[in-house]
């Protein structure tokens, strides 16, 4: 870190937890450690924003994909219901034809 004249003097009150965090940072003395933490956070802010934007796009893409799958599922579910209904109608028709054929046999047999 380059030595820069520091003309702003502030006094802060900290919890033990915050003090311990600052004290565990790299640097010589409290002021340098505190400044290092702040500068690192500042440098990383752009990267975090880019990562959040990337994740937002990924989430949006996944939501569109899920929406499309849901629409396809609904269409297939409706088609399947129609198929089952037609299948039952065909079975009923087949039974009616079998009954008619049986009656026709009885009629011709008499």
């Amino acid at each position: 870190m380059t030595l820069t004249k520091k003309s702003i003097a502030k006094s802060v009150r900290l919890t033990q937890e915050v003090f311990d965090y600052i004290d565990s940072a790299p640097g010589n003395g409290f002021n340098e450690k505190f400044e290092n933490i702040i500068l690192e956070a500042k440098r990383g802010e752009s990267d975090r924003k880019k990562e959040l934007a990337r994740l937002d796009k990924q989430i949006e893409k996944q939501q569109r994909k899920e929406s499309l799958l849901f629409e396809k599922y609904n269409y297939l579910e409706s088609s399947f219901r129609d198929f089952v209904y037609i299948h039952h109608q065909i079975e009923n028709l087949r039974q009616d034809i079998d009954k008619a054929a049986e009656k026709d046999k009885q009629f011709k047999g008499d």
Side-chain angles (χ1 to χ4, degrees), residues 34-87:
F34 182 76
E35 193 168 304
N36 287 342
I37 290 170
I38 299 304
L39 291 174
E40 178 59 33
K42 181 181 175 187
R43 284 189 289 272
E45 187 173 357
S46 175
D47 291 341
R48 287 188 299 276
K49 285 181 179 179
K50 287 176 187 175
E51 179 66 6
L52 285 174
R54 184 190 70 77
L55 291 171
D56 284 343
K57 286 180 183 179
Q58 186 177 348
I59 289 168
E60 193 175 301
K61 182 179 176 182
Q62 186 66 28
Q63 287 173 334
R64 284 193 307 268
K65 184 178 177 181
E66 288 174 7
S67 178
L68 183 60
L69 286 172
F70 187 71
E71 288 175 20
K72 287 180 180 182
Y73 171 80
N74 283 337
Y75 174 76
L76 289 173
E77 182 183 38
S78 175
S79 297
F80 181 73
R81 271 195 314 267
D82 293 345
F83 170 78
V84 169
Y85 174 76
I86 291 169
H87 176 72

Side-chain angles (χ1 to χ4, degrees), residues 21-33:
Y21 180 76
I22 293 170
D23 196 45
S24 70
N28 298 317
F30 180 83
N31 288 341
E32 186 177 312
K33 291 178 180 195

Side-chain angles (χ1 to χ4, degrees), residues 13-30:
R13 295 183 186 278
L14 308 169
T15 63
Q16 187 65 45
E17 179 183 15
V18 173
F19 176 80
D20 291 343
Y21 180 76
I22 293 170
D23 196 45
S24 70
N28 298 317
F30 180 83

